[in-house]
Amino acid sequence: MMLWTVVALALTTGCHALVTPLAVQPRLKRSPVLQMTSTLTKETPVTINSEGPTGGMFTASSPEDRRVGPPDGGEIEFKVVYVVLESQYQSSMSAAVREINEKTGIKTECVGYLLEELRDPANVAAFKRDLADANVFVGSLIFVQELADVVAEAVKAERERLDAVVVFPSMPEVMRLNKLG
């Protein structure tokens, strides 16, 4: 029951626009065109550092930034670990866990990893530690082969112990890890 609550809350919170009939969705108002000008007098070079603190080319955050747990702390009763291509599911999962913690009293935790963060060996080690005591793994859009291999290896090691593995469209080796019931 608890798994379905997490999945249902995450999906319904994040997919509201998909389930709202078109007639009920508010109409967008067009705004007047704004003229934009720049006061810069010389060009400023921009550098992209692929060796940043998380090792991912486009990520400047940490999985710890996406860790949500019971407000009063204590021993975690239910834990969800997820890996996504982009952070679009982060707010839905976080909101679902907060609501479960507030309304049910079940001490629930979730922690999310952006796929690119798994290029950093320290994040891979943290991901494996989080999976070691998780109840559920959720993955989505894991299409980068070398990172799919990392995820598949880590999840496969814990699959039998996990209560559920839910993977949305991803590489075949990750999709084969799905497990419900």
Side-chain angles (χ1 to χ4, degrees):
M1 178 70 170
M2 194 175 350
L3 165 64
W4 296 115
T5 304
V6 169
V7 173
L9 282 172
L11 292 177
T12 57
T13 305
C15 301
H16 176 72
L18 297 176
V19 297
T20 304
L22 290 176
V24 178
Q25 292 182 7
R27 298 275 183 220
L28 296 176
K29 294 181 182 179
R30 297 211 182 264
S31 62
V33 176
L34 300 175
Q35 184 177 8
M36 298 174 80
T37 60
S38 173
T39 58
L40 292 176
T41 56
K42 70 177 195 173
E43 292 183 21
T44 306
V46 175
T47 307
I48 296 177
N49 181 0
S50 65
E51 300 301 320
T54 60
M57 186 162 177
F58 300 106
T59 57
S61 62
S62 158
E64 289 304 313
D65 297 339
R66 289 177 296 283
R67 187 176 300 273
V68 176
D72 60 352
E75 187 174 337
I76 303 299
E77 299 172 38
F78 186 75
K79 182 175 179 180
V80 178
V81 175
Y82 64 93
V83 173
V84 292
L85 177 64
E86 299 171 348
S87 61
Q88 74 271 22
Y89 296 125
Q90 171 190 344
S91 63
S92 298
M93 293 295 281
S94 297
V97 168
R98 282 188 195 101
E99 191 166 330
I100 289 169
N101 283 330
E102 290 169 11
K103 293 184 177 179
T104 67
I106 299 169
K107 293 182 184 268
T108 306
E109 178 183 49
C110 78
V111 61
Y113 292 81
L114 299 180
L115 187 59
E116 284 293 320
E117 290 173 335
L118 295 179
R119 291 188 187 280
D120 180 353
N123 283 337
V124 172
F127 172 58
K128 289 178 179 180
R129 282 191 306 273
D130 279 321
L131 276 175
D133 63 351
N135 300 88
V136 175
F137 171 76
V138 177
S140 178
L141 301 174
I142 302 169
F143 286 115
V144 179
Q145 185 64 58
E146 65 267 21
L147 299 175
D149 293 341
V150 169
V151 172
E153 177 189 334
V155 174
K156 187 181 287 186
E158 298 292 336
R159 185 178 183 275
E160 292 306 312
R161 187 197 51 74
L162 288 165
D163 296 321
V165 176
V166 181
V167 181
F168 298 97
S170 293
M171 296 294 281
E173 58 271 22
V174 185
M175 291 288 294
R176 283 196 270 299
L177 296 171
N178 271 308
K179 169 187 166 184
L180 286 174

